[in-house]
Amino acid sequence: MARLLIRGGRIIDPAQNLDRVGDLLIEDGLIAGYEPPDGPCDEVLHAEGKIVSPGLIDMHVHLREPGNEEAETVETGTAAALAGGFTTVACIPNTRPPIDSQAAVAFIQNQAAKADHCRVYVVACVSKGREGKELAELGQLVQAGAVAFSDDGDPVENSELLRRAFEYCQMFDKPILNHAEVRELTRNGVMHEGLVSLVLGLPGMPAEAEDVMTSRDISLAEATGGRIHIMHVSSVESVDMIRRAKTRGVRVTTEVCPHHFTLNDECLRSFDSNFKMSPPLRGQRHVEACIAGLVDGTIDVICTDHAPHAAEKKMQELDKAPFGILGLETALGLVVTKLIEPGHLSWLQALEKMTVNPARILGLELGTLQPGRPADVTVIDPDIRWTVDKNQFRSKSRNTPFHGWELQGRAETVIVDGRIKYRAGELASVAIA
Amino acid sequence: MAEIPEELRNIARGWQRSHLLDLESLSREEILQLLDLADTFKQLTDNCTRKLNLLPGSTCANLFFENSTRTRTSFSLAARRLGADTIDFSRSGSSLSKGESFIDTAKNIEAMKVAAVIVRHGTPGTPQLLAQNLRCPVINAGDGPHEHPTQGLLDILTIRERLGRIEGLTVALVGDIAHSRTARSNLWGLKKLGAHVILCGPATLVSPRWRELDVEISHNLDEVIPRCDVLNLLRIQFERQEQPPFPSVREYALLYAMNKERLARAKEEILVLAPGPINRGVEVTPDVADGDHSAILNQVTNGLAVRMAALWLLCGHAA
């Protein structure tokens, strides 16, 4: 029997509302309990002063394979995930070709198995070829292992198609993840529409472009009883609409990315394309609305929207540079530095949004340290201060606006299925015979 | 070779900035310094008709990714009036049309040891991106709708010359504010020098958000005209918009074209500017464009003077 004991850490498991100092025992890849074993351990991790969390889950990651392997592969993306403390990622199907078939799902699963870093779940396309015209073979995709559906990168624009998808997906109890953006309102846009875009002369993407589609998505989910997960919410109104829909019992969930609670549209004054993302960095009142949504629980999940781009693509004129930034290797530090340290969220609240909540939305038996569950564990050093250095990233790309930032908190040891897959530093590891 | 006057040398040595990218970030003093030096160059060159030999052996590169006649010609002539050579690159016929990135193109040109790069581009921020990637001075000759600092300076120089001051004047910028780099550069420069700025045009082209910068906005030109000392008529940039911002050109001209009737309701000393190229009959009727109140051709001479000043401030310390 393989035994690993994590000794003396602060165990935080939001799924059980657990926050206490103690030991965590792992046996044969499963959580065994909170007491040291009678017999010997293969390894003991000393975690005094550290936080022992369920393995972090990022439900919104672009691994870029197949099609854009110059930016990221399943191998490099999952290595980056481990370094960021994530034991599970869900990858989004805007690849080339898109993941809209059983074979494509199997390909990702194979690449993930070969890489053998963290768990990878596949979000498959809502529509064939991500063209927004007809439904993909959702039932077959579920059988292949798809955990949710999304045409992310492009919204599902056709309301009738989305309604059918809501109806049909209820047979499998799978959510639709939608990127809320009315394209007619954001055409050619590179940044949030506001005073800053006006002064810089850059074409704007108004918050209403997000709000109009969020409103539609909620209405259709409400009418059909389907499950909608609004991706990367970023505006005052959208957060508020979701808040109100939840009180009515609509099956709506949502997520926010670290850049939307840490940066605002003033950053674009540098004209640096590392501040170009979709939805765009908005004005400060929107940033505050995202934080408020996290605090009151309207926002269920913190995800990264990890979007690698090769340097030659990103280092172009702002209108040509693609949208998106890296997220996996900076998310935890930003959550600690910008949400936990200033007192917006407790550790329990923050980790809930990075463990059990995404697990529940995707229907995964993960994200908790309950005995009997797979032993995915992230040991976090909550006090360590470190400087983001994009050249140290495991990701294949370097497009981050956080290079040079000093952050607090980092994953120290990452365990997947009972196996230590990543160690950052000094955590003692002593084998006991 | 003529001796470079010590005074000019000192002005260039005292200038702190490596590039001229916008007027938003310049101080009132820096703007005045540019305007005063432009005046000096006008005097030294008999209204920009004679050549000075201040930058012999230097080469200024015009890197124009967007079409331009007058600005490119003006920069070339300004460089030559200072004794420098010029080279021109445009999008068509260069490696850019072969897929080379514009940063690579610019680095190649810099490697030819140019003294300054003058860049025009359709995308805001592109001169800033070049400035970060090149070691030589970069002058923004217009970046999309963002800024066109030398145009703003030459408009302000023209106003100062004709009306003797900027402080306390009421200046209306009329027309396509949304897409106008001239409007933005004028706005910053005029505000810093103490003018009252009115942005006037159809609601689709004049955002109410401008009020947050303490600027007056109006959609009613007829109401604005009697209060103005200067009207700066901006061209409707049809090429920058997919959806027409107003129902028809006829309707625009009816509401906003500067014609004789409107001019009759203006102050006697009204000054009419247009950054050009103008759409005759749209923003301004020919009788006004060619009339006594028009300073359109003064603007062209002042453009040379301002660009000589900018080139000297950025390159003169090395001469």
Side-chain angles (χ1 to χ4, degrees):
Chain A
M1 185 177 282
R3 275 191 184 138
L4 172 63
L5 183 67
I6 304 173
R7 180 158 262 174
R10 178 180 165 193
I11 301 172
I12 300 180
D13 183 14
Q16 306 180 77
N17 202 27
L18 184 76
D19 183 350
R20 68 154 191 243
V21 173
D23 298 338
L24 183 72
L25 180 65
I26 294 168
E27 278 180 358
D28 287 338
L30 301 176
I31 304 289
Y34 306 106
E35 303 293 333
D38 298 333
C41 284
D42 299 280
E43 188 164 4
V44 176
L45 292 178
H46 289 276
E48 289 83 4
K50 307 293 189 282
I51 283 169
V52 179
S53 164
L56 305 183
I57 299 173
D58 187 350
M59 65 179 288
H60 190 155
V61 171
H62 298 271
L63 293 176
R64 298 292 185 228
E65 193 178 354
N68 284 96
E69 291 85 352
E70 81 286 355
E72 197 80 284
T73 63
V74 174
E75 198 279 321
T76 58
T78 51
L82 283 179
F86 294 96
T87 56
T88 296
V89 298
C91 64
I92 303 300
N94 62 336
T95 49
R96 292 187 306 181
I99 305 168
D100 65 350
S101 68
Q102 286 180 309
V105 174
F107 170 74
I108 301 293
Q109 290 164 342
N110 280 336
Q111 294 299 86
K114 246 193 274 177
D116 193 24
H117 292 313
C118 72
R119 296 180 201 270
V120 176
Y121 289 91
V122 176
V123 176
C125 296
V126 175
S127 68
K128 279 187 187 141
R130 278 180 70 248
E131 287 175 352
K133 291 183 183 142
E134 47 185 321
L135 288 182
E137 291 168 322
L138 306 184
Q140 292 194 35
L141 289 163
V142 169
Q143 283 183 9
V147 291
F149 297 101
S150 177
D151 279 358
D152 181 44
D154 296 295
V156 179
E157 287 179 336
N158 182 326
S159 300
E160 165 64 8
L161 184 78
L162 185 67
R163 198 181 74 152
R164 276 178 192 284
F166 278 136
E167 289 168 351
Y168 198 72
C169 279
Q170 288 180 69
M171 301 195 297
F172 319 109
D173 194 28
K174 298 292 180 210
I176 308 260
L177 283 41
N178 201 29
H179 171 121
E181 176 184 350
V182 174
R183 288 287 174 83
E184 292 85 352
L185 292 171
T186 60
R187 194 105 33 218
N188 301 328
V190 302
M191 69 173 291
H192 174 61
E193 185 179 294
L195 182 64
V196 181
S197 70
L198 193 65
V199 165
L200 299 182
L202 285 167
M205 306 166 79
E208 305 83 72
E210 178 174 334
D211 302 338
V212 170
M213 194 171 278
T214 299
S215 166
R216 178 206 69 168
D217 290 359
I218 289 171
S219 293
L220 291 174
E222 187 164 19
T224 57
R227 290 175 57 194
I228 178 70
H229 178 79
I230 304 288
M231 304 177 95
H232 42 45
V233 71
S234 72
S235 82
V236 172
E237 275 302 314
S238 288
V239 171
D240 198 46
M241 278 190 277
I242 294 164
R243 179 179 292 124
R244 284 183 277 129
K246 283 186 165 187
T247 63
R248 294 199 304 275
V250 181
R251 301 176 80 195
V252 56
T253 52
T254 192
E255 63 187 23
V256 70
C257 305
H259 44 270
H260 287 128
F261 60 74
T262 54
L263 303 172
N264 64 26
D265 60 349
E266 293 284 339
C267 296
L268 271 296
R269 286 185 182 277
S270 67
F271 296 102
D272 181 343
S273 66
N274 284 318
F275 295 109
K276 180 182 174 184
M277 54 279 274
S278 177
L281 299 176
R282 300 202 186 276
Q284 188 58 28
R285 71 185 194 97
H286 297 282
V287 174
E288 280 155 22
C290 289
I291 294 173
L294 283 164
V295 170
D296 73 9
T298 300
I299 299 175
D300 307 86
V301 169
I302 296 168
C303 70
T304 67
D305 192 5
H306 181 80
H309 291 292
E312 66 272 18
K313 299 241 170 80
K314 198 69 174 167
M315 274 300 289
Q316 296 193 83
E317 298 94 317
L318 259 185
D319 55 342
K320 285 191 189 158
F323 292 102
I325 59 163
L326 301 179
L328 286 166
E329 294 175 79
T330 48
L332 180 57
L334 289 165
V335 167
V336 176
T337 309
K338 296 293 182 179
L339 295 178
I340 297 176
E341 281 298 309
H344 297 305
L345 296 183
S346 66
W347 272 96
L348 205 63
Q349 285 174 305
L351 291 177
E352 183 181 32
K353 297 173 198 297
M354 301 178 83
T355 59
V356 64
N357 283 358
R360 282 185 187 145
I361 290 166
L362 299 178
L364 306 176
E365 298 275 294
L366 300 170
T368 172
L369 299 174
Q370 275 170 4
R373 295 296 179 90
D376 290 3
V377 182
T378 301
V379 180
I380 299 165
D381 183 337
D383 301 316
I384 190 171
R385 292 195 150 270
W386 59 288
T387 303
V388 178
D389 179 358
K390 63 183 179 183
N391 299 311
Q392 303 289 317
F393 283 172
R394 268 84 173 164
S395 168
K396 212 167 174 178
S397 290
R398 297 288 176 263
N399 51 310
T400 177
F402 300 113
H403 179 67
W405 279 42
E406 189 176 311
L407 296 180
Q408 182 176 338
R410 193 166 62 182
E412 200 169 65
T413 307
V414 181
I415 298 164
V416 182
D417 243 346
R419 291 181 298 154
I420 296 176
K421 304 297 288 187
Y422 174 83
R423 289 180 210 255
E426 302 87 77
L427 193 72
S429 164
V430 183
I432 298 175
Chain B
M1 195 176 90
E3 195 56 24
I4 298 172
E6 199 54 31
E7 191 194 332
L8 284 179
R9 265 195 198 290
N10 288 337
I11 289 173
R13 284 182 185 145
W15 185 254
Q16 297 297 318
R17 293 176 183 269
S18 320
H19 311 282
L20 178 60
L21 303 176
D22 56 57
L23 294 191
E24 184 185 359
S25 60
L26 294 194
S27 67
R28 173 189 167 87
E29 288 65 35
E30 286 168 322
I31 291 171
L32 287 172
Q33 215 178 333
L34 274 156
L35 296 174
D36 293 345
L37 183 58
D39 272 339
T40 305
F41 278 133
K42 276 183 87 169
Q43 285 159 22
L44 288 176
T45 59
D46 294 334
N47 263 334
C48 302
T49 56
R50 279 195 317 115
K51 187 168 167 176
L52 298 170
N53 207 22
L54 299 178
L55 293 172
S58 301
T59 304
C60 298
N62 282 324
L63 197 53
F64 276 57
F65 297 93
E66 220 184 29
N67 293 334
S68 158
T69 313
R70 73 191 67 208
T71 302
R72 196 183 62 210
T73 311
S74 178
F75 267 110
S76 293
L77 207 51
R80 285 180 207 153
R81 289 279 186 268
L82 291 174
D85 299 316
T86 60
I87 44 172
D88 279 1
F89 288 82
S90 57
R91 175 164 300 230
S92 60
S94 76
S95 291
L96 282 162
S97 50
K98 299 174 195 160
E100 184 175 58
S101 85
F102 90 102
I103 293 177
D104 286 338
T105 302
K107 284 191 167 173
N108 271 290
I109 291 166
E110 186 191 36
M112 298 170 193
K113 306 284 176 236
V114 298
V117 167
I118 296 140
V119 61
R120 164 165 293 191
H121 198 289
T123 308
T126 305
Q128 281 76 359
L129 193 51
L130 274 191
Q132 285 156 21
N133 281 278
L134 302 184
R135 280 183 303 275
C136 72
V138 173
I139 297 180
N140 179 4
D143 58 333
H146 176 221
E147 282 224 37
H148 190 355
T150 56
Q151 179 71 48
L153 290 168
L154 76 88
D155 287 348
I156 293 167
L157 184 66
T158 306
I159 298 169
R160 194 172 76 164
E161 218 170 65
R162 295 278 289 250
L163 302 180
R165 65 193 166 110
I166 301 297
E167 182 106 39
L169 294 181
T170 296
V171 180
L173 303 166
V174 181
D176 188 352
I177 307 300
H179 301 94
S180 176
R181 48 196 174 215
T182 299
R184 286 170 178 78
S185 290
N186 263 279
L187 171 73
W188 294 117
L190 289 167
K191 270 174 61 74
K192 282 169 205 252
L193 299 186
H196 174 64
V197 178
I198 304 172
L199 302 177
C200 181
T204 44
L205 295 174
V206 183
S207 166
R209 284 201 178 96
W210 286 114
R211 289 201 182 100
E212 295 173 47
L213 296 178
D214 206 18
V215 169
E216 180 181 343
I217 71 159
S218 167
H219 307 304
N220 184 348
L221 181 61
D222 290 314
E223 186 279 317
V224 162
I225 283 178
R227 299 191 279 133
C228 287
D229 301 296
V230 181
L231 289 165
N232 197 340
L233 309 174
L234 307 173
R235 187 174 66 89
I236 301 296
Q237 307 205 24
F238 293 104
E239 70 279 11
R240 290 196 202 277
Q241 31 215 335
E242 284 173 16
Q243 287 276 343
F246 39 76
S248 68
V249 169
R250 188 170 153 261
E251 180 157 315
Y252 181 83
L254 181 75
L255 295 172
Y256 298 104
M258 195 58 199
N259 53 29
K260 222 165 38 183
E261 292 72 33
R262 288 201 163 102
L263 194 61
R265 289 196 297 277
K267 288 185 184 174
E268 209 168 316
E269 295 294 298
I270 185 88
L271 182 65
V272 178
L273 304 180
I278 52 173
N279 301 313
R280 280 177 186 253
V282 182
E283 298 92 11
V284 57
T285 54
D287 46 356
V288 175
D290 305 328
D292 294 339
H293 296 282
S294 164
I296 294 174
L297 292 177
N298 298 54
Q299 287 174 270
V300 178
T301 308
N302 285 341
L304 272 176
V306 155
R307 286 166 186 134
M308 288 173 77
L311 284 167
W312 178 249
L313 287 177
L314 296 176
C315 305
H317 60 89

